Amino acid sequence: LFRSDTGEIENSIQSNYLIPTVLGTKIYKKFLHQHFGSLVVISSLSVVKPRLDNWLYGSSKAGFDYWTRGLKNFNKNKDINLLIIRSGIAKTKMTEHLEKMPFAMTPEEFANFVGKNFQKNGVKYLPRKIFFVAVLLKVLPNFILNKLN
């Protein structure tokens, strides 16, 4: 954060929280009006716990994730599917510079998962094994996590 300029901070908040929240709300309202629909929300493993190397990104994703969980509670007993996907990193041009990409998937793997699951509800982890990483991150003390960075 302190190495980032304010433009980078604004960009992260707009692209990871503000725009998805506004668009998600508009889409969800349309689904309410027509009494059906399937909304797939892409979250991130970074929302589980802040890390030294990505807490700006994680905080902007966490805001959107929080909105999504609130929507999930509001959505009970409605004929609208709401799938929240907490994923690891995707192998794309944007991430090709990264040396370490544990649990990385291709865009095709991600698309196949969405295609098979978009009419489901709840939170899904992709790949599925990162669910256990998420549980570990939740209980791992910050001082240990910071040493791992």
Side-chain angles (χ1 to χ4, degrees):
L1 175 67
F2 299 107
R3 294 180 305 232
S4 304
D5 62 26
T6 55
E8 185 180 345
I9 295 167
E10 288 177 23
N11 184 45
S12 183
I13 292 168
Q14 281 190 342
S15 61
N16 295 313
Y17 174 66
L18 183 62
I19 293 169
T21 301
V22 170
L23 289 175
T25 301
K26 288 181 178 186
I27 292 167
Y28 189 80
K29 283 182 176 181
K30 180 171 177 60
F31 291 164
L32 280 175
H33 179 72
Q34 67 189 22
H35 302 288
F36 70 93
S38 293
L39 184 61
V40 177
V41 174
I42 301 169
S43 186
S44 170
L45 189 60
S46 67
V47 304
V48 175
K49 183 174 268 187
R51 293 190 345 252
L52 284 176
D53 62 344
N54 79 340
W55 60 285
L56 173 60
Y57 168 79
S59 68
S60 61
K61 291 296 279 188
F64 182 56
D65 192 85
Y66 197 89
W67 172 84
T68 304
R69 288 183 285 143
L71 183 62
K72 182 175 169 278
N73 291 336
F74 175 79
N75 191 52
K76 286 191 191 278
N77 304 318
K78 296 183 177 54
D79 292 328
I80 299 169
N81 301 309
L82 177 58
L83 176 63
I84 303 165
I85 300 174
R86 292 217 177 107
S87 67
I89 198 162
K91 297 176 188 175
T92 65
K93 288 182 182 180
M94 188 173 83
T95 60
E96 65 188 6
H97 70 282
L98 299 174
E99 292 177 24
K100 293 182 183 177
M101 293 200 315
F103 310 111
M105 332 157 271
T106 66
E108 293 78 17
E109 290 170 324
F110 197 91
N112 287 334
F113 181 85
V114 171
K116 292 177 184 171
N117 292 281
F118 77 96
Q119 292 184 317
K120 295 184 180 176
N121 288 297
V123 179
K124 304 283 184 197
Y125 289 83
L126 183 63
R128 288 188 175 102
K129 57 189 164 192
I130 70 165
F131 168 78
F132 300 105
V133 175
V135 170
L136 180 63
L137 284 172
K138 280 184 181 182
V139 299
L140 192 67
N142 283 335
F143 75 90
I144 295 174
L145 183 62
N146 291 343
K147 287 182 181 182
L148 295 175
N149 281 332

